[in-house]
Amino acid sequence: MDNSQKFCSHCGQKIQGNEKFCTNCGAALTSEANTNTNDSNVDVNETVNKAKNFSSNYFAWFLKTLKQPSEVVSDTHKYFGMVSFIIEGIITAWIMNIFASPLVDGINNALGEADNVAAWSGFARTDYLNLSFIVLLIFVLALTAIRVTAGFLSRRIEGSKISYLDYANDLAGITNITLVIELIILLFALISSYPNAIIMMLVSINFLFANVGYVFSLIRENSHLKCNRVYTVALSFVGLSVVSFIFSMLFMTIVFR
């Protein structure tokens, strides 16, 4: 006896065999396999739609921050700022890789020739520069994390209740213009693998916007400290510079292999 007897979901008629339509009312019959497949398709479509909504909302937020960088955009997704920093990190690492590759190759070739000479005396070296795109990307993202953390801690010391991700959104919203500038720098870098006057000018402008945005992110809210805001901003910059320098030195010790 078949314990898995099927019935028409429309009229309740027993289904004999593997009919695709009910013999009583003619309604289309959906198998369990088809139901599972449809459920899977619904899940995939839902994921795709969420990704599309996230990207479209991010782009709308990005345009708003370009038009009014000093204004806080309400109802912002908590990860928009992180997305901006990751995109900017990828672009920055790409630019650095383009400009650094010829220099790194030249240094490694010189070290290789020195090894050939030193090998005769038994003093050949084996450490060479290793500046791949992944290494540079890790370096840039780490510096960005240090920068965001320094600004976040400064705001918390001043008495702000802002969260880390909210501060990242705040800082990214002010400095998203730097992402556009770096895209332009990347275009020039792809044309010429050596820095020129235009690229250096764009780098200076990018540096200016990044630092002005960082300062503005620290003074956006009213401070509850008794000391002057100038000193808190200065201390934040000093702390950021010291930590970034130490990290950069540590990084340089691992780019030699």
Side-chain angles (χ1 to χ4, degrees), residues 48 71 83 127 135 137 155 162 188 199 206-207 215 224 238:
V48 172
E71 302 297 327
V83 171
D127 50 335
V135 172
L137 178 60
R155 286 278 291 269
I162 193 170
F188 279 100
I199 292 178
N206 187 67
F207 182 79
V215 172
H224 299 290
V238 170

Side-chain angles (χ1 to χ4, degrees), residues 1-7 14-19 32:
M1 182 176 179
D2 186 5
N3 293 326
S4 59
Q5 178 66 56
K6 299 179 180 178
F7 297 87
K14 287 185 179 182
I15 305 301
Q16 303 295 334
N18 296 318
E19 288 88 351
E32 183 178 355

Side-chain angles (χ1 to χ4, degrees), residues 68-125:
Q68 297 291 337
S70 63
E71 302 297 327
V72 178
V73 180
S74 59
D75 299 328
T76 301
H77 194 285
K78 62 181 180 179
Y79 292 120
F80 279 176
M82 289 299 183
V83 171
S84 283
F85 289 133
I86 291 174
I87 295 175
E88 186 175 0
I90 293 173
I91 297 173
T92 302
W94 192 353
I95 295 171
M96 293 174 65
N97 189 53
I98 292 174
F99 291 147
S101 292
L103 177 62
V104 171
D105 291 341
I107 293 175
N108 285 338
N109 289 335
L111 292 175
E113 293 178 0
D115 281 350
N116 293 332
V117 175
W120 292 96
S121 58
F123 293 102
R125 58 185 293 161

